[in-house]
Amino acid sequence: MFETTSMGPLLLSIRLATTTTLVLLIIATPLAWWLAHTTSRWKPGIQATVALPIVLPPTVIGFYLLIVLGPYGTIGRWWVEVTGDALTFSFTGLVIASCIYSLPFAVQPLQVAFQSLDRRDVEAARTLGASPLDAFFSVAAPLSAHGFLNAIVLSFAHTLGEFGVVLMVGGNIPGETRVISIAIYDHVESLDYAAAHQMSALLLAFAFVVLLSMFVINRRLSRR
Amino acid sequence: MFETTSMGPLLLSIRLATTTTLVLLIIATPLAWWLAHTTSRWKPGIQATVALPIVLPPTVIGFYLLIVLGPYGTIGRWWVEVTGDALTFSFTGLVIASCIYSLPFAVQPLQVAFQSLDRRDVEAARTLGASPLDAFFSVAAPLSAHGFLNAIVLSFAHTLGEFGVVLMVGGNIPGETRVISIAIYDHVESLDYAAAHQMSALLLAFAFVVLLSMFVINRRLSRR
Amino acid sequence: MSTNTTTTGTRASIAMRYVLSRADFELDVDLEIPMRGITGVFGESGAGKTSLLRCIAGLEQPSSGRLVVDGNVWQDTASRRSLPVHQRAIGYVFQEPRLFSHLTVHRNLDYGRRRAPERAVNVDFEQIVALLGLESMLQRMPDALSGGEAQRVSIARALLCEPRFVLMDEPLAALDKARKAEILQFLDRLHAELSVPIIYVSHNIGEISALCDQLLVMQRGRVIADGDLQSVLMRTDLPALAGEEAGSVVVAKVASYDAEYGLTCVRFSGGELFVSGRHEPGSELRVRIRANDVSLCRVRPTGTTILNILPAVVEAVHPDAEATVLVRLSLGSDFLTARITRRSSVELNLQAGDEVFAQIKSVAVRKIGVEPGK
Amino acid sequence: MSTNTTTTGTRASIAMRYVLSRADFELDVDLEIPMRGITGVFGESGAGKTSLLRCIAGLEQPSSGRLVVDGNVWQDTASRRSLPVHQRAIGYVFQEPRLFSHLTVHRNLDYGRRRAPERAVNVDFEQIVALLGLESMLQRMPDALSGGEAQRVSIARALLCEPRFVLMDEPLAALDKARKAEILQFLDRLHAELSVPIIYVSHNIGEISALCDQLLVMQRGRVIADGDLQSVLMRTDLPALAGEEAGSVVVAKVASYDAEYGLTCVRFSGGELFVSGRHEPGSELRVRIRANDVSLCRVRPTGTTILNILPAVVEAVHPDAEATVLVRLSLGSDFLTARITRRSSVELNLQAGDEVFAQIKSVAVRKIGVEPGK
Amino acid sequence: TVAVASNFARTATEIAARFTARTGHQTHIIAASTGKLYAQIINGAPYDVLLAADAERPRLLEEAGLGVAGTRFAYAFGTLVLWSRDPAVATVGCREQLLHLGKKHLAIANPETAPYGVAAREFLLDAGLWEQVRPRLVLGENILQTLQFVASGNASLGLIAQSQTGIPALPSPTCEWVVPTRTYSPLEQQAILLQRAADKKAASAFLNYLRGPAGREQIAGHGYLLPD
Ligand SMILES: Nc1ncnc2c1ncn2[C@@H]1O[C@H](COP(=O)(O)OP(=O)(O)OP(=O)(O)O)[C@@H](O)[C@H]1O
Ligand SMILES: Nc1ncnc2c1ncn2[C@@H]1O[C@H](COP(=O)(O)OP(=O)(O)OP(=O)(O)O)[C@@H](O)[C@H]1O
Ligand SMILES: [Mg+2]
Ligand SMILES: [Mg+2]
């Protein structure tokens, strides 16, 4: 069984972090683009709102999410009605919670990158026949590569290390919501230090390899 | 007494977040500058190392820091020998722990901002008689204002919301290390949901005001 | 080219009307540019040349405006229509190169080409690369190009996207003379062969007169003169043109080529001129003659190295700078302008109706370009 | 200015030796520039002009190099010394404006001024702002300037930091003719009044000959000619100069001013010339005469609008382009170059030693600038 | 699925292993603080059995109808131990050291969130030391964190659960003093069958096993007192 080894929770964590990062990129990219270019008076307000999840302790966010996503919460009830399944204590619920929790870490680097883009590059692309979307993918996005990299690194790492939210919303169910951060926490809590050390080392080694390879790729890209 | 109201922990949190942010800026700025400009082969490795603290669950980082900073840990023992005071369960210890925990959130936005600086602006400043440091403060830093803003926002907010590390290293001492995130957590744990809601609202309101004013300032700056 | 107020536009023209307001500046133009040849836009710094091009490209949102290209309405603020930038089939060469720093030169060139809708006229990649001398830098990144090299790439990139017409904003400012001359020649050939019309912004009246068929002169956001090159250059009332570059252009037919001395004899209504280099007999040339290169004599001079001496009649003498006057001459059905010192004009007592000889240094005669197809 | 191999440098000179290698390019120069006047650097795109300036400014790290300014060693890779960029008291006007986008125009101008060490010669802020026409834009942000306006600010900024000498990398490319002429005049006056030496990169030989005292010509990373303007412009073996801009420069003394016609009469070893505009009698002028503006006659022409006709002796006839030749003439102790058609030279049978008359259109005579103080 | 208060997690895991071996029923142990588990249960957590660290929350669940009425029972009582690994304490003894803390810290669980914290406060009040030691207190989120504070030497003394002293990873103590149970109200830990498992045989079987002699023996083996 998975839960007895440290690989199970690690794999689950990777799955969660990957899914979350992908979902976040899809959500955060247009949001960051809008924030980078809007002149709306609501902009600072929306920026502040996006950053708010960082301010609350994860467990507290988890607590509130548990209420909102739970079967008696607005979203949770609606979800149950539509899908028949509960959001909380499920992988889907975890992904939603992680996305909310890590959203600022994806939005901020992207927004900075988009803001420091030279508007003139996009203009040039437009006059060369690129639609706004095309210009985004062929010029703005590659020129913001480092922003995407940072967004990915921060979201991914943050989700890997996330624990308060996940514990609350996910409920530590082996094979489903017991990610490695919770597993480590459990070992620490149960004073099984050897196992905790071993799992931490595994997580760190894995994270290091992932981060290292991303930064190496980034270096290649920017050198080219 | 402070600890009975919600203001005490909030004020302590603000003090911690402010101190941490300042210390982080001092540490992260040169580090980010170096990372942005170095061609060293160790760069990706150092980047990955800086990002690692995000990967571990806060409580686990707290646990390890407790050991390292404690009287039997390497750093802790040295600190006691030098200063006569223990690092753990003190405000200083909290600041150190928060800095380690939030370092990546300060380094990454700064590094991105520094990387997207136009090298030519610094060159122009140099030929106009600015020393490298002068050119940094008078040209590079203002042109990276959004990077600093994001570094400050993320570090500040992240420290406000931090809880696992602080709880472990700080020991939840009222008036000294009991920050608001722990206070909220305590209320949730002790089923005092009304108090938890109230404190959360206070923290959120405060954080929102701080973030909003920073983003408004940023907008002014970039409009000028 | 004519100023009109309805901006209806016809086939084979670019008709536009724009009003654009900025803090210190208002662009207010209403004009029609023929959809052929090269149209020069001349004006001092801050006159609004770049702003005009940006309006045409759709990069600027004018407070009111209408643009009709070839009879198709591209923009009409009254009916809230505006073709998005990428659907306007234009090539835009910016004042600075604006190459994509993440793509090699080759992929920069491909960028527009890949996105071009298939059109009848195809531009030949190899040809353009060769003409702009880009072969050796195709695999380089834009960072490793000098200023002039980058601008050449950017010209090629705009031409390769098969535009209906091309907007060029001082594309040659960063180039050296030799390269400039080469590209000017190429642009000339390009618009003759491919009949891609070009709207060409420049401060340099020399460049403009070497290249353009039509000219419009801007000042403080307004068009103060437009029409075909000859007639605008002949105008003596334009302060912007009052520099030393005043001159005139005549259309001439190649009569013969003298291989021994490398001279071509061309004929126009005013007589025969010798032009350097070989030109195809029977073809038509436009010849620009700078007012500075024309001197006048009462009697036909002999024993001089000046080959081109033509009888002319003084039409009028206009004041010019403090020490000089501009003399308008008629030769057959054509006109020439000569700039001479006021002292000479007084000493020779030049009057309208006088018969004189115009001396034109043959090396100062410039072949300008093949007249476009039709 | 002389090429040397030791780069010892003397007082009042900038001596340098640089080797800089890039993928496709090697800069390899060894030269000494006098610490006065304006030194032109001319060369085609990619010749290495910008690279040379960057080395001098300390922005590029050459593989080997030595720079001695006024006898002080600023850089010597052999002894691993190199003054950091900000301690090199130079002003650098870049090819593009590089204004600081977070500062107003006024604070951009102040940037270098505040950091300048106190020196004997002070530059007057008001004067420079007025001369470059910046009064109305002091409170604007750089974003709201046109290309030409921005470049003017950048020139003023470099001048205001009180440099020992100024490096200018095609600073006028983005300007219109009128503004260009104005700034050229100002630069001219500036270096005469403040004796700030300038190293001036340009593609435009017209600009260079209107401005510079010395000239160095670069090709593929090497200096192929250097010396004072006259002698370099007279050289007929430089392909880079072989365009129409060949010419010569003579130094002349103002004899008298004719207020009626606005003409100044100047005298040089070859005779008298009429120059437009008023100049102070007794002062010295440099007069540039383009080879294209000189024609030759066997007999003195009469009844012509050309005022300047001088007797001269043919020194040599050099081949030029296909249809033209360059004729080197001596007038007194000075030399002129004339470009005429090969056909004319054959028809007139021009030979070395022949006595001829050189016709120079007086409007084509150019006053170039006040000779620097000493 | 058994939700267990984290202080009992180690014991519960062993019991569950034995239970599974004996009955063949699969068990999952979910450990978290009682407060968290409670919040999760009222928001629909898929747990069958709750082994709480107090009596309060099982009671609340029963009242709310989330726990099956009448299935609530006390399965263990915790005991407080005054514990130290500080060599300086060895000579003085734990109890005495409490009087002379100086700059040293005393770790207890947070009285506001953890039952062991409540007990610790009662003991200190009873001994008349509360006001004196209060400035030197460090509060663990729960009794396990309290142990970490002392075990890592950051706190010189700690009031921990006796069940914890048997943990193999623990460094050897320099003193250990069992706090008299009369000085604090009993640390009753209750179990309850949750509504969603009302009909699950395995869940009831687990509770019965816990209550049975084999379970009791294991509980006692981990340093807990047993209900009568
Ligand atoms: N983004 C802007 N915001 C405000 N004013 C602007 C902006 N861009 C240009 N201007 C102003 O608009 C006027 C016209 O500028 P434009 O760039 O069209 O001039 P131009 O004729 O192209 O000049 P140049 O030859 O110097 O490039 C100028 O007065 C300029 O200061
Ligand atoms: N950063 C760079 N990396 C590699 N090669 C470069 C770089 N910058 C310039 N070069 C190359 O060095 C050569 C000299 O460039 P430089 O910019 O000095 O030329 P230039 O004479 O100033 O040309 P231009 O008149 O076009 O500005 C060119 O061949 C150019 O391609
Ligand atoms: Mg412009
Ligand atoms: Mg250059």
Side-chain angles (χ1 to χ4, degrees):
Chain A
M1 273 289 288
F2 264 160
E3 65 263 40
T4 55
T5 75
S6 35
M7 284 314 284
L10 178 60
L11 290 180
L12 189 63
S13 276
I14 295 172
R15 210 177 115 215
L16 176 64
T18 312
T19 316
T20 303
T21 306
L22 287 179
V23 173
L24 271 181
L25 280 185
I26 294 167
I27 298 169
T29 305
L31 181 56
W33 185 262
W34 182 82
L35 283 173
H37 293 104
T38 184
T39 52
S40 156
R41 351 188 252 118
W42 303 110
K43 179 180 166 182
I46 290 169
Q47 276 184 288
T49 310
V50 168
L52 271 189
I54 324 179
V55 171
L56 284 181
T59 323
V60 176
I61 299 186
F63 170 66
Y64 286 116
L65 284 178
L66 190 66
I67 293 175
V68 175
L69 301 181
Y72 311 112
T74 31
I75 298 175
R77 194 178 321 153
W78 169 83
W79 184 269
V80 172
E81 272 165 28
V82 172
T83 67
D85 282 328
L87 258 186
T88 43
F89 312 111
S90 70
F91 188 74
T92 317
L94 274 196
V95 171
I96 294 176
S98 302
C99 283
I100 292 172
Y101 183 49
S102 294
L103 183 65
F105 299 103
V107 170
Q108 304 253 4
L110 287 178
Q111 190 188 335
V112 171
F114 291 156
Q115 264 161 353
S116 61
L117 270 181
D118 194 337
R119 185 182 44 80
R120 298 180 301 180
D121 284 318
V122 177
E123 277 186 358
R126 298 296 311 282
T127 64
L128 289 167
S131 67
L133 210 65
D134 183 359
F136 174 79
F137 283 110
S138 59
V139 174
L143 289 175
S144 314
H146 56 274
F148 279 96
L149 179 88
N150 280 316
I152 291 173
V153 164
L154 290 179
S155 314
F156 188 85
H158 200 242
T159 308
L160 272 192
E162 170 181 286
F163 138 82
V165 175
V166 167
L167 186 62
M168 268 295 198
V169 176
N172 198 357
I173 300 169
E176 178 146 16
T177 61
R178 174 180 232 193
V179 295
I180 191 164
S181 53
I182 299 184
I184 297 177
Y185 178 75
D186 278 354
H187 286 303
V188 171
E189 287 284 277
S190 56
L191 304 179
D192 188 355
Y193 292 156
H197 294 338
Q198 183 202 318
M199 267 198 172
S200 295
L202 182 70
L203 176 59
L204 282 179
F206 167 74
F208 189 81
V209 169
V210 170
L211 294 176
L212 190 67
S213 46
M214 298 200 78
F215 288 121
V216 168
I217 291 170
N218 182 41
R219 189 190 173 90
R220 289 268 160 75
L221 282 180
S222 58
R223 269 234 195 107
R224 205 189 36 182
Chain B
M1 273 291 289
F2 261 160
E3 64 265 38
T4 57
T5 75
S6 36
M7 284 316 282
L10 178 60
L11 290 180
L12 188 64
S13 277
I14 294 172
R15 212 177 113 215
L16 177 65
T18 311
T19 315
T20 303
T21 305
L22 287 179
V23 173
L24 271 182
L25 280 185
I26 294 168
I27 297 169
T29 304
L31 181 58
W33 185 263
W34 182 81
L35 283 173
H37 293 105
T38 184
T39 52
S40 156
R41 351 187 252 118
W42 303 109
K43 178 179 166 181
I46 291 169
Q47 277 184 289
T49 309
V50 168
L52 271 189
I54 326 178
V55 172
L56 283 182
T59 325
V60 175
I61 298 186
F63 170 68
Y64 285 118
L65 284 178
L66 192 66
I67 292 173
V68 174
L69 301 181
Y72 303 107
T74 30
I75 298 174
R77 196 178 319 156
W78 169 83
W79 184 268
V80 171
E81 273 165 26
V82 174
T83 67
D85 281 328
L87 258 185
T88 42
F89 309 132
S90 72
F91 188 74
T92 317
L94 274 195
V95 171
I96 293 175
S98 301
C99 283
I100 292 173
Y101 184 49
S102 294
L103 184 65
F105 298 102
V107 170
Q108 303 253 3
L110 286 177
Q111 190 187 334
V112 171
F114 292 155
Q115 263 162 354
S116 60
L117 272 181
D118 194 337
R119 185 181 45 79
R120 297 180 302 180
D121 284 317
V122 177
E123 278 186 357
R126 299 296 311 283
T127 65
L128 289 167
S131 67
L133 209 65
D134 183 358
F136 174 79
F137 282 110
S138 59
V139 174
L143 289 176
S144 314
H146 57 275
F148 279 96
L149 180 89
N150 279 316
I152 291 172
V153 165
L154 290 179
S155 313
F156 189 85
H158 200 241
T159 308
L160 273 191
E162 171 180 284
F163 140 81
V165 175
V166 166
L167 188 65
M168 274 292 206
V169 176
N172 197 358
I173 302 170
E176 179 150 13
T177 61
R178 174 181 235 190
V179 296
I180 190 162
S181 52
I182 299 184
I184 298 178
Y185 177 77
D186 283 352
H187 287 304
V188 171
E189 285 287 283
S190 59
L191 305 185
D192 188 356
Y193 292 156
H197 292 338
Q198 182 201 319
M199 268 199 171
S200 295
L202 182 71
L203 176 59
L204 282 179
F206 166 75
F208 189 80
V209 168
V210 170
L211 294 176
L212 189 67
S213 46
M214 297 201 78
F215 288 122
V216 168
I217 291 169
N218 182 41
R219 190 191 174 87
R220 290 268 160 74
L221 282 180
S222 59
R223 268 232 194 109
R224 206 190 33 180
Chain C
M1 187 154 62
S2 71
T3 301
N4 69 75
T5 49
T6 54
T7 322
T8 47
T10 54
R11 287 207 59 79
S13 88
I14 306 165
M16 69 193 85
R17 200 184 59 225
Y18 281 118
V19 177
L20 175 77
S21 298
R22 291 219 189 90
D24 278 0
F25 173 81
E26 195 188 52
L27 179 77
D28 183 354
V29 298
D30 183 353
L31 54 95
E32 189 166 348
I33 294 172
M35 195 62 162
R36 69 187 146 69
I38 302 186
T39 303
V41 179
F42 179 81
E44 55 180 22
S45 182
K49 307 180 293 297
T50 300
S51 308
L52 178 64
L53 295 201
R54 289 177 60 83
C55 283
I56 298 175
L59 294 172
E60 207 75 52
Q61 292 310 323
S63 39
S64 124
R66 186 173 157 88
L67 175 65
V68 184
V69 175
D70 258 358
N72 305 317
V73 178
W74 280 19
Q75 179 159 29
D76 186 3
T77 48
S79 60
R80 300 180 152 273
R81 297 181 50 163
S82 176
L83 217 54
V85 181
H86 65 285
Q87 285 172 18
R88 303 187 180 198
I90 46 159
Y92 198 140
V93 181
F94 295 91
Q95 221 161 344
E96 67 285 341
R98 301 202 188 177
L99 300 183
F100 301 130
S101 59
H102 64 296
L103 300 178
T104 59
V105 167
H106 196 293
R107 298 184 72 223
N108 262 283
L109 294 177
D110 271 348
Y111 192 94
R113 209 156 60 111
R114 290 235 206 101
R115 287 166 175 81
E118 309 243 14
R119 292 219 182 76
V121 182
N122 270 289
V123 196
D124 183 1
F125 183 82
E126 304 300 330
Q127 179 200 3
I128 287 185
V129 164
L131 276 159
L132 287 154
L134 309 178
E135 300 91 339
S136 68
M137 43 188 107
L138 287 179
Q139 295 318 316
R140 282 204 244 165
M141 297 306 288
D143 280 351
L145 300 179
S146 82
E149 291 164 347
Q151 192 63 5
R152 271 145 61 199
V153 175
S154 124
I155 295 174
R157 187 177 65 171
L159 293 174
L160 285 168
C161 73
E162 308 203 349
R164 275 298 287 125
F165 61 98
V166 177
L167 305 173
M168 294 197 178
D169 197 349
E170 305 188 42
L172 306 186
L175 299 184
D176 60 282
K177 196 124 196 162
R179 195 58 84 171
K180 207 177 224 166
E182 208 177 307
I183 296 181
L184 277 175
Q185 242 178 46
F186 163 69
L187 289 179
D188 207 35
R189 221 160 82 207
L190 183 91
H191 100 263
E193 284 173 17
L194 306 181
S195 53
V196 178
I198 298 176
I199 299 181
Y200 188 94
V201 164
S202 177
H203 295 129
N204 185 329
I205 197 77
E207 232 171 85
I208 284 189
S209 54
L211 196 64
C212 299
D213 306 299
Q214 297 88 227
L215 175 57
L216 63 95
V217 181
M218 295 189 67
Q219 197 173 47
R220 279 187 237 111
R222 259 146 251 249
V223 174
I224 55 166
D226 70 319
D228 68 289
L229 187 68
Q230 278 105 316
S231 60
V232 176
L233 286 181
M234 286 293 290
R235 284 176 61 173
T236 49
D237 61 334
L238 297 175
L241 287 177
E244 62 192 270
E245 293 285 359
S248 41
V249 174
V250 298
V251 176
K253 206 175 181 106
V254 175
S256 61
Y257 173 63
D258 177 351
E260 187 183 349
Y261 295 118
L263 291 175
T264 298
C265 176
V266 303
R267 196 169 292 140
F268 75 113
S269 73
E272 286 188 348
L273 287 172
F274 290 97
V275 183
S276 286
R278 186 196 163 87
H279 300 282
E280 207 46 57
S283 65
E284 289 202 323
L285 292 182
R286 290 185 306 131
V287 180
R288 166 158 157 80
I289 300 163
R290 301 193 321 152
N292 276 353
D293 287 328
V294 182
S295 56
L296 305 177
C297 292
R298 280 291 182 186
V299 294
R300 178 182 283 271
T302 52
T304 168
T305 57
I306 298 182
L307 281 182
N308 294 314
I309 302 176
L310 297 172
V313 175
V314 175
E315 287 268 307
V317 179
H318 297 284
D320 185 39
E322 192 200 0
T324 57
V325 295
L326 287 172
V327 181
R328 191 174 154 94
L329 305 164
S330 74
L331 299 86
S333 60
D334 280 300
F335 295 95
L336 278 192
T337 309
R339 175 177 280 128
I340 61 175
T341 57
R342 193 152 48 83
R343 171 166 161 176
S344 300
S345 93
V346 171
E347 281 180 355
L348 264 62
N349 190 24
L350 288 181
Q351 304 286 344
D354 285 4
E355 298 199 341
V356 295
F357 290 90
Q359 302 187 92
I360 307 155
K361 284 205 62 174
S362 77
V363 285
V365 171
R366 294 185 189 166
K367 174 236 161 190
I368 295 192
V370 186
E371 188 70 353
K374 42 170 196 170
Chain D
M1 184 156 61
S2 72
T3 300
N4 69 76
T5 48
T6 54
T7 321
T8 48
T10 54
R11 288 207 57 79
S13 88
I14 306 164
M16 69 193 86
R17 201 184 59 226
Y18 282 118
V19 178
L20 175 77
S21 297
R22 292 219 187 91
D24 278 1
F25 173 80
E26 195 188 50
L27 179 76
D28 183 353
V29 298
D30 183 354
L31 55 96
E32 190 165 350
I33 295 172
M35 196 61 162
R36 67 185 148 71
I38 302 186
T39 303
V41 178
F42 178 80
E44 55 180 20
S45 180
K49 307 181 294 296
T50 301
S51 307
L52 178 64
L53 295 201
R54 290 176 59 83
C55 282
I56 297 175
L59 294 173
E60 207 76 51
Q61 292 310 324
S63 39
S64 126
R66 186 174 158 87
L67 175 65
V68 183
V69 175
D70 258 358
N72 305 317
V73 179
W74 280 18
Q75 179 159 29
D76 186 2
T77 48
S79 59
R80 299 180 153 274
R81 297 180 51 162
S82 176
L83 217 55
V85 181
H86 65 286
Q87 286 172 17
R88 303 187 180 198
I90 46 159
Y92 196 141
V93 181
F94 294 90
Q95 218 161 346
E96 66 286 341
R98 301 202 189 178
L99 300 182
F100 302 130
S101 58
H102 63 298
L103 301 177
T104 60
V105 167
H106 196 293
R107 299 185 71 224
N108 261 284
L109 294 177
D110 271 347
Y111 191 94
R113 210 156 59 110
R114 291 236 205 101
R115 288 167 174 81
E118 310 242 13
R119 292 219 183 75
V121 182
N122 271 289
V123 196
D124 183 2
F125 183 81
E126 305 299 331
Q127 179 201 2
I128 288 186
V129 164
L131 275 160
L132 287 155
L134 309 178
E135 300 92 339
S136 68
M137 45 188 105
L138 286 180
Q139 295 318 317
R140 280 203 243 165
M141 297 307 287
D143 279 351
L145 300 179
S146 81
E149 291 163 348
Q151 192 63 3
R152 271 144 61 199
V153 174
S154 125
I155 294 174
R157 186 177 65 172
L159 292 175
L160 284 167
C161 73
E162 308 202 351
R164 276 296 290 122
F165 60 98
V166 177
L167 304 173
M168 296 197 176
D169 197 350
E170 307 189 41
L172 306 186
L175 299 183
D176 61 282
K177 197 124 198 162
R179 195 59 83 172
K180 206 175 224 166
E182 209 178 306
I183 296 181
L184 276 176
Q185 242 177 47
F186 163 68
L187 290 178
D188 208 33
R189 222 161 81 207
L190 183 91
H191 99 263
E193 286 174 16
L194 306 181
S195 53
V196 179
I198 299 176
I199 299 181
Y200 189 94
V201 164
S202 177
H203 295 131
N204 186 329
I205 197 75
E207 234 171 84
I208 284 189
S209 52
L211 196 64
C212 299
D213 306 299
Q214 297 87 227
L215 175 57
L216 63 96
V217 181
M218 296 189 67
Q219 198 173 47
R220 279 186 237 110
R222 261 147 250 250
V223 174
I224 55 166
D226 70 318
D228 68 287
L229 187 69
Q230 279 104 315
S231 59
V232 177
L233 286 181
M234 285 294 290
R235 285 177 59 174
T236 48
D237 61 334
L238 298 176
L241 288 177
E244 59 193 273
E245 293 285 359
S248 41
V249 174
V250 297
V251 177
K253 206 177 183 104
V254 176
S256 61
Y257 173 63
D258 177 351
E260 187 184 351
Y261 295 118
L263 290 176
T264 297
C265 176
V266 303
R267 197 169 290 139
F268 74 112
S269 72
E272 287 186 346
L273 286 172
F274 290 97
V275 182
S276 286
R278 186 195 163 87
H279 300 283
E280 207 50 57
S283 66
E284 288 202 324
L285 293 183
R286 290 186 307 131
V287 180
R288 165 155 157 83
I289 300 162
R290 300 193 320 154
N292 275 353
D293 286 329
V294 181
S295 55
L296 305 177
C297 291
R298 280 290 182 187
V299 293
R300 181 181 281 270
T302 52
T304 167
T305 57
I306 298 182
L307 281 183
N308 294 315
I309 302 176
L310 297 172
V313 176
V314 175
E315 286 268 306
V317 180
H318 297 286
D320 184 40
E322 192 200 0
T324 57
V325 294
L326 288 172
V327 182
R328 190 175 156 95
L329 305 164
S330 73
L331 299 87
S333 58
D334 280 301
F335 296 93
L336 279 189
T337 309
R339 175 177 282 128
I340 62 175
T341 56
R342 194 151 48 83
R343 171 167 160 176
S344 301
S345 93
V346 171
E347 282 178 354
L348 264 63
N349 191 25
L350 289 181
Q351 303 285 345
D354 285 4
E355 299 199 340
V356 294
F357 291 89
Q359 301 188 95
I360 305 154
K361 284 206 60 174
S362 76
V363 285
V365 171
R366 294 182 189 167
K367 175 234 159 191
I368 295 192
V370 186
E371 188 70 351
K374 46 170 195 166
Chain E
T1 307
V2 183
V4 184
S6 27
N7 75 316
F8 197 70
R10 244 166 42 87
T11 317
T13 310
E14 282 180 23
I15 293 173
R18 234 14 115 72
F19 169 71
T20 302
R22 192 168 294 181
T23 65
H25 292 300
Q26 280 295 327
T27 45
H28 292 305
I29 299 294
I30 311 275
S33 74
T34 308
K36 264 193 210 96
L37 294 173
Y38 173 77
Q40 289 175 338
I41 289 164
I42 62 176
N43 283 290
Y47 306 147
D48 301 323
V49 170
L50 172 67
L51 304 186
D54 61 2
E56 166 92 356
R57 273 163 278 213
R59 184 178 59 76
L60 287 173
L61 287 174
E62 185 174 23
E63 284 169 9
L66 289 163
V68 179
T71 56
R72 193 155 61 87
F73 67 97
Y75 61 90
F77 288 90
T79 6
L80 271 185
V81 172
L82 187 60
W83 194 93
S84 175
R85 65 174 283 201
D86 187 348
V89 180
T91 47
V92 215
C94 291
R95 182 68 177 86
E96 287 64 35
Q97 183 67 31
L98 211 48
L99 305 171
H100 314 285
L101 271 177
K103 284 178 81 176
K104 295 186 167 165
H105 287 287
L106 169 64
I108 66 170
N110 189 344
E112 280 163 42
T113 57
Y116 280 94
V118 178
R121 181 170 56 190
E122 284 172 355
F123 157 65
L124 290 169
L125 281 170
D126 179 76
L129 291 169
W130 177 245
E131 284 307 322
Q132 183 188 336
V133 301
R134 217 171 136 182
R136 307 309 311 157
L137 286 181
V138 291
L139 308 180
E141 175 205 335
N142 51 44
I143 194 63
L144 288 155
Q145 207 169 60
T146 312
L147 175 69
Q148 280 158 9
F149 287 156
V150 247
S152 63
N154 284 287
S156 175
L157 282 170
L159 282 163
I160 61 171
Q162 190 176 18
S163 58
Q164 295 171 320
T165 57
I167 291 166
L170 218 55
S172 49
T174 49
C175 82
E176 224 179 83
W177 179 71
V178 181
V179 178
T181 43
R182 55 173 170 77
T183 58
Y184 54 91
S185 32
L187 283 162
E188 182 180 5
Q189 304 200 178
Q190 288 196 349
I192 188 167
L193 183 65
L194 296 172
Q195 195 57 54
R196 92 187 256 286
D199 303 327
K200 269 197 196 168
K201 285 223 183 69
S204 315
F206 180 78
L207 284 179
N208 285 332
Y209 177 80
L210 191 69
R211 230 186 319 225
R216 285 173 68 97
E217 186 189 326
Q218 275 179 285
I219 292 171
H222 278 94
Y224 292 95
L225 297 179
L226 294 174
D228 307 321

